[in-house]
Structures are given as C-alpha cells and as structure tokens.
Amino acid sequence: MAKVERLSDRAEELLKEVNRDKIPRHIAIIMDGNGRWAKKRYLRRVSGHRKGLEAVRQAVRAAKRLDKVRFLTLYAFSIENWKRPPNEVSAIMTLLEDYLCKEEREMLDNDIRLRYIGRIEDLPESTRAELLRVAKSTEHCESMMLTLALSYSGRAEIVDAVRKVVAETIEGKDHSMIDEECFSSKLYTDFMPEPELLIRTSGEMRISNFMLWQIAYTELFIHPVLWPDFKDYHLIEAVIDYQKRERRFGGIEQVE
Ligand code: IPE
Ligand code: IPE
Ligand code: MG
C-alpha cells in the first residue's frame, strides 16, 4: 500500500479547501523558466534545470496527495529544444537520467507508474535506456501515472498519427471511419484521458507545441512563478482555481 506523504504546511492548509468531488483526473504541466531562474542568480542555465527537478518532486507529491489525480503529464523537453546549445542539451539529458535513477524508489513506494510520450528514439542511448528501464520496473504501479513528454511536439505527434491512419487506410475504404475518436487513438496519448487542467509556469501565455489536439477544452492556469520555484502548494492552488471554473464545452451555462 502506498504511503501518504505530508506536504508543506501551506499546501496542507490549502488541501482543506479542495473539493474532493471535483479533482481533475489529468493535470499537465509546461515546466518553464529554468533558464531565467538561473540567470537571475548569475548561475549557468544548467543550475536552473537541476533545481527544476526539485520542483518536479514537489509537483509529483502534491498530485499524488490529491489522490484522485490519476495522470500527471510533464512537458520536459520539446523537439524544438534540440536547437539549444549541445552542452545544455547534454546536461538536461544527464540530469534526466539522474532523476530517473534516484526517483525510481520513490515511484515504487508511492505506486506511481512512469510512462513517456514523444520521439524517444531521438534521445541519447543511455537516457532512453534509463527511461525504458524505469518505465518497465514501475509497470505494475497503478495509483498515478507520471508521463514525461520528451522530444515531444504536438505537431509531430499529429503528423505521426496521420502516418498511422494512412498506413491503416486501405484505398477505397470508407473514410468516414476516420473520426475524432479513431484519430485520438493514434496519438501518443492513447493511454490517457485529455487533461482537464494545464498549468504553465514563468508567465508565458503560450502553448509551445504541447498537446495541441488534447487541450481543445482544457482549463489553462498560467502562473508567473519560474519552474524551479514551483512548490507543492502552487499545484493545489491551481486545482482550487480550476474548481471555481465553469466548463461549458461550447454549450451554455447549466441552470437548475
Ligand atoms: C524549461 O525551462 C525547461 C526546458 C525547456 C527544458 P527553460 O530552459 O525554457 O527556461 P527559460 O524559459 O529559458 O527561462
Ligand atoms: C516549453 O518551453 C517546452 C518545455 C517546457 C519542455 P520552451 O522554453 O521551450 O518554450 P518557448 O520557447 O518559451 O515557447
Ligand atoms: Mg523556456
């Protein structure tokens, strides 16, 4: 049985305000601002990425504590991020390997299954091997699924899905068979529901090629905090804010 981790005092206090019947099943996060965090402290960008991993731990623990969050998806490295200087890219990959190695125990203890989405074939061999290893060792865990988006881009995902659809579509076949449900099933995310809540840190008002198809009706929560400063209570705050919203999905306000 997974253990219950105590959060920071502030997060524990906020937890009392959370409506247990309206917890998002899937929270996705665009973790942004590591470089700026480091720059503000006259440090190298890699220090920001290192500190960012502590924030990942905070987010995972807070989501786990909310109990009914079954899927947490973290945008960790985009396809466009390969354009960064090679030393930054390799530092990120090494940090990721360290994170996976160190956190495996915590994931197992907390019944968290690790998964990934993205073109992971582009990752360095050692990073990919570690990712696959921990994904395998946590395969039996089922309380929460932690998915890392790595070498991920929403457009590439859609293109890959189109390729799958085309490969399966025999000439002359009835194309009305290709509907939204069928298309969704070809995305990398076929094993998870669409996120109800998307958090982005560092105050940037953009999506940066993340889950373009899946977030059609997702609630957005943009916070100015730079990712390395993200704490467990920020996630709880986002959930409380989400709970105050009315999701209409193009319909009209529900009246009694
Ligand atoms: C997010 O932080 C982490 C990755 C994209 C890997 P950034 O590295 O983008 O930090 P900023 O946005 O430059 O501050
Ligand atoms: C988005 O952040 C990608 C990740 C968090 C992995 P970026 O820093 O790459 O996005 P832009 O360049 O600000 O749009
Ligand atoms: Mg950034």
Side-chain angles (χ1 to χ4, degrees), residues 9-23:
D9 289 350
R10 188 156 165 194
E12 290 290 338
E13 212 39 51
L14 279 171
L15 272 175
K16 295 176 191 155
E17 286 175 39
V18 171
N19 176 353
R20 295 271 144 198
D21 297 326
K22 213 179 161 188
I23 291 179

Side-chain angles (χ1 to χ4, degrees), residues 31-37 45 49 76-77 81 84 88 92:
M31 311 183 289
D32 195 23
N34 293 353
R36 277 163 282 171
W37 183 92
R45 292 180 61 87
H49 296 310
F77 194 83
N81 290 150
R84 295 189 180 196
E88 178 172 348
I92 291 173

Side-chain angles (χ1 to χ4, degrees), residues 104-170:
E104 182 185 12
R105 187 70 260 158
E106 167 125 357
M107 287 183 219
L108 289 166
D109 287 348
N110 287 286
D111 200 30
I112 297 172
R113 177 174 182 183
L114 180 85
R115 297 196 76 164
Y116 49 82
I117 50 173
R119 292 185 173 165
I120 64 145
E121 60 278 14
D122 296 339
L123 298 177
E125 182 48 43
S126 56
T127 313
R128 196 174 67 234
E130 191 59 7
L131 186 65
L132 295 176
R133 191 186 66 74
V134 180
K136 182 93 192 129
S137 78
T138 58
E139 213 172 28
H140 61 283
C141 299
E142 49 188 24
S143 294
M144 190 173 84
M145 192 177 283
L146 170 64
T147 303
L148 301 181
L150 289 166
S151 193
Y152 173 91
S153 113
R155 285 188 180 173
E157 178 183 33
I158 290 170
V159 169
D160 285 353
V162 169
R163 287 181 183 153
K164 287 185 208 162
V165 171
V166 171
E168 277 181 22
T169 311
I170 307 154

Side-chain angles (χ1 to χ4, degrees), residues 30-32 75-78 81 84 200 204 206 208:
I30 303 175
M31 311 183 289
D32 195 23
Y75 196 12
F77 194 83
S78 71
N81 290 150
R84 295 189 180 196
R200 179 168 188 150
E204 303 290 6
R206 56 176 175 263
S208 302

